[in-house]
Amino acid sequence: MSNIRTYINDTVEEMKNKVSWPSYAELQNSSVLVLIGSLIFALVVGAMDFGFDTVLTWFYNQF
């Protein structure tokens, strides 16, 4: 049981003193970049899905 307590205490101390936390502005900038990247990725995947659906529908209707 003391090993668990030591582990938790060490973890809390490391999170307080050794971890480099981003500032609020850096966090906002990173969040905006992730949002924009996700939207671009979603649009590309959606366009590919639409294109493949269109091509395959046309192909299957030929037979």
Side-chain angles (χ1 to χ4, degrees):
M1 190 68 177
S2 69
N3 288 338
I4 295 173
R5 183 172 291 148
T6 303
Y7 172 75
I8 291 173
N9 288 337
D10 288 346
T11 302
V12 169
E13 184 177 337
E14 186 168 342
M15 294 297 280
K16 284 182 181 178
N17 300 321
K18 295 182 181 179
V19 174
S20 173
W21 296 100
S23 68
Y24 187 70
E26 291 172 335
L27 189 61
Q28 282 182 322
N29 288 338
S30 296
S31 297
V32 168
L33 285 175
V34 169
L35 179 65
I36 291 171
S38 297
L39 289 174
I40 291 171
F41 185 73
L43 288 173
V44 168
V45 170
M48 289 171 56
D49 181 48
F50 179 76
F52 285 133
D53 181 53
T54 303
V55 169
L56 289 175
T57 301
W58 172 82
F59 180 74
Y60 288 137
N61 287 334
Q62 297 302 313
F63 298 106

